[in-house]
C-alpha cells in the first residue's frame, strides 16, 4: 500500500557506529505544490512501474522506497520533480537511472550492491549523498556535484583516497569501515572545508600517517579508532593516542565520539619540544609508540577503558 503525505520529506537516517559521526540530512526547500511524500517501503517491489499513483508522479517531491527488491531504478524519470530519494536496503548494482533527476538535493542508496559512483554527473543540486554499505572501491565520479556538503561512503571497499578536493562545500565525510591504509594524500585529495571526518576501522598501521590530517584545519569532529596503528595487542605499548592526534589537529573538539578536555589540549601542546621539528618520519611507528608510551602514558582510568574497548573489538571479530 502506497502512503501519501503532504509534508516536508523526513530525515531518512541517523547512523552512529563505533565513534563515527551521525549522518543527518538537510531540510530541502520544497514549494507547496511539491510537498507530497510517497512512501512505499517494505512492499517487496521489484520495478519502479509497480509504484502506485503514476498519474500524479510529476508532483512528488520525496520518494521513499526502502527495503524492497529493486535491482534497477529504470523508470524513475517519471518522477522529474524529486528533491529527496531514498532506496535503502535494496538490490541496486548501478545508479545511472537517477541521472535525469536534476533537482535532487538528497540521495540515500545505503545498503545496496552498488560497485561504482556513476550517474551523478547531472545532479548539480545534490547536497546530501549516502552510499554507505555498498561495494564501491574508488572515490570518483563526483566532480560535478560541487554543492555536496555531506558524503557517506562508509562500509565499502575503498582502499585509497580519491581526489574530491573540488568539493569545496563538503563539511562531512564518512569513510569508516573501509580499507584505507594511508592518508598521505589528504592535503591534496580532501577539501579543506571538512569539519567532520570519520576514518575509523580502516587499515592505517603507521601512527605517523595521522600527521597528514593537520592539513584539514577546519576539523572539529574526527574519528580514527579501530585502525591497526592504535591496536593494543602488545601490553607494553600503553599510550594516550588522543594527545598525539590533538597535537596535529588542535581544532578538533570531539575525538572518537568523546569531547576533548582542556587537560588533553594542554598535554598535546607539551607532547614534543617546542620550536623543534617533528622527530619522527613515516615507517617509524614503533619508535613513535615507544616515545608516546613514556611521554603520554595512559592513566589508570584510561587503561581500563582501553582494555574494555579492546575486549569488545576482539569479541566482535570472533565468528558467530
Amino acid at each position: 500500500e502506497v502512503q501519501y503525505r503532504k509534508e516536508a520529506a523526513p530525515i531518512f537516517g541517523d547512523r552512529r557506529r563505533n565513534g563515527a559521526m551521525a549522518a543527518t540530512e538537510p531540510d530541502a526547500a520544497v514549494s507547496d505544490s511539491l510537498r507530497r511524500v510517497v512512501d512505499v517501503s517494505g512492499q517487496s517491489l521489484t520495478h519502479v512501474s509497480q509504484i502506485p499513483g503514476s498519474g500524479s508522479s510529476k508532483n512528488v517531491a520525496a520518494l521513499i522506497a526502502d527495503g524492497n527488491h529493486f535491482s534497477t531504478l529504470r523508470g524513475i524519470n517519471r518522477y522529474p520533480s524529486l528533491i529527496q530519494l531514498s532506496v535503502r536496503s535494496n538490490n541496486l548494482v548501478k545508479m545511472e537511472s537517477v541521472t535525469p533527476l536534476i533537482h535532487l538535493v538528497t540521495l540515500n542508496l545505503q545498503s545496496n550492491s552498488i560497485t561504482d559512483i556513476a550517474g551523478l554527473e547531472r545532479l548539480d543540486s545534490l547536497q546530501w549523498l549516502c552510499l554507505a554499505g555498498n561495494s564501491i572501491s574508488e572515490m570518483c565520479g563526483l566532480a560535478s556535484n560541487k554543492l555536496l556538503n555531506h558524503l557517506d561512503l562508509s562500509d565499502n571497499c575503498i582502499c585509497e583516497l580519491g581526489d574530491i578536493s573540488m568539493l569545496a562545500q563538503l563539511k562531512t565525510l564518512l569513510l569508516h569501515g573501509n580499507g584505507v591504509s594511508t592518508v598521505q594524500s589528504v592535503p591534496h585529495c580532501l577539501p579543506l572545508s571538512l569539519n567532520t571526518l570519520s576514518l575509523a576501522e580502516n587499515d592505517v598501521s603507521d601512527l605517523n600517517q595521522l600527521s597528514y590530517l593537520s592539513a584539514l584545519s577546519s576539523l572539529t569532529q574526527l574519528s580514527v579508532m579501530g585502525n591497526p596503528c592504535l591496536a593494543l595487542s602488545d601490553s607494553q605499548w600503553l599510550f594516550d593516542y588522543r594527545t598525539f592526534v590533538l597535537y596535529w589537529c588542535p581544532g578538533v573538539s570531539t575525538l572518537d565520539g568523546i569531547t576533548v578536555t582542556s587537560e588533553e589540549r594542554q598535554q598535546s601542546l607539551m607532547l614534543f619540544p617546542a620550536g623543534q621539528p617533528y622527530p619522527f618520519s613515516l615507517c617509524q611507528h614503533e619508535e613513535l609508540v615507544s616515545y608516546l608510551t613514556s611521554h603520554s602514558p595512559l592513566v589508570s582510568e584510561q587503561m581500563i577503558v582501553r582494555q574494555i574497548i579492546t575486549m569488545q573489538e576482539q569479541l566482535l571479530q570472533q565468528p558467530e
Side-chain angles (χ1 to χ4, degrees):
E1 180 183 358
V2 63
Q3 297 181 21
Y4 296 99
R5 300 200 297 273
K6 285 199 70 176
E7 57 186 37
I11 298 297
F12 290 144
D14 187 345
R15 307 175 63 246
R16 299 178 189 272
R17 171 170 165 257
N18 294 336
M21 283 62 69
T24 56
E25 301 180 44
D27 294 326
V30 185
S31 66
D32 290 339
S33 62
L34 295 174
R35 293 185 69 87
R36 198 169 57 151
V37 177
V38 174
D39 189 344
V40 292
S41 299
Q43 297 190 27
S44 300
L45 304 179
T46 58
H47 297 91
V48 171
S49 60
Q50 295 175 326
I51 300 176
S54 59
S56 55
S57 60
K58 292 183 179 180
N59 297 322
V60 174
L63 174 61
I64 308 173
D66 301 336
N68 283 289
H69 303 298
F70 292 113
S71 59
T72 177
L73 290 177
R74 188 176 296 110
I76 197 68
N77 58 329
R78 61 190 273 201
Y79 295 91
S81 301
L82 278 181
I83 293 175
Q84 299 189 10
L85 173 63
S86 181
V87 193
R88 296 187 300 171
S89 302
N90 277 267
N91 303 317
L92 298 176
V93 177
K94 300 289 183 180
M95 54 183 181
E96 285 92 343
S97 298
V98 304
T99 300
L101 305 180
I102 59 175
H103 301 295
L104 272 185
V105 174
T106 298
L107 178 60
N108 193 338
L109 300 179
Q110 177 186 338
S111 300
N112 280 279
S113 300
I114 297 168
T115 56
D116 59 80
I117 305 174
L120 306 181
E121 295 80 9
R122 296 179 59 198
L123 307 188
D124 52 15
S125 295
L126 196 63
Q127 297 179 26
W128 195 100
L129 176 61
C130 179
L131 295 173
N134 281 282
S135 300
I136 296 167
S137 59
E138 295 184 2
M139 292 173 58
C140 58
L142 297 168
S144 300
N145 311 117
K146 298 276 195 309
L147 296 183
L148 268 181
N149 58 52
H150 179 104
L151 177 58
D152 188 347
L153 293 174
S154 60
D155 299 317
N156 275 283
C157 306
I158 298 169
C159 293
E160 62 181 51
L161 299 178
D163 186 2
I164 57 171
S165 59
M166 75 294 294
L167 303 180
Q169 297 192 39
L170 193 66
K171 301 297 183 183
T172 299
L173 176 60
L174 306 182
L175 289 171
H176 50 275
N178 279 283
V180 176
S181 59
T182 175
V183 293
Q184 196 170 352
S185 60
V186 161
H188 61 267
C189 279
L190 300 189
L192 302 182
S193 56
L194 282 179
N195 56 40
T196 297
L197 174 64
S198 178
L199 289 168
E201 297 180 29
N202 275 274
D203 291 330
V204 179
S205 57
D206 186 350
L207 192 59
N208 289 289
Q209 286 275 344
L210 300 186
S211 64
Y212 291 99
L213 299 180
S214 63
L216 304 176
S217 57
S218 298
L219 274 186
T220 58
Q221 296 188 71
L222 175 64
S223 182
V224 294
M225 65 188 299
N227 278 279
C229 62
L230 303 178
L232 291 177
S233 57
D234 192 336
S235 60
Q236 67 174 313
W237 306 126
L238 294 175
F239 62 95
D240 182 9
Y241 77 93
R242 290 173 63 86
T243 57
F244 177 74
V245 174
L246 291 172
Y247 175 81
W248 292 108
C249 303
V252 168
S253 57
T254 303
L255 178 57
D256 286 323
I258 300 175
T259 301
V260 173
T261 65
S262 57
E263 290 79 9
E264 287 177 321
R265 292 196 186 283
Q266 188 63 30
Q267 291 170 6
S268 69
L269 294 174
M270 301 184 294
L271 190 56
F272 299 105
Q276 297 185 21
Y278 179 62
F280 302 99
S281 59
L282 292 180
C283 300
Q284 288 188 310
H285 172 76
E286 291 189 3
E287 292 86 344
L288 172 58
V289 168
S290 178
Y291 178 90
L292 294 177
T293 300
S294 60
H295 290 77
S296 183
L298 289 174
V299 297
S300 57
E301 293 85 356
Q302 290 174 313
M303 292 176 63
I304 293 174
V305 172
R306 291 290 295 277
Q307 289 170 352
I308 292 174
I309 292 175
T310 300
M311 291 173 62
Q312 290 175 336
E313 291 176 345
Q314 292 174 344
L315 287 173
L316 289 173
Q317 293 173 0
Q318 292 180 357
E320 297 181 359

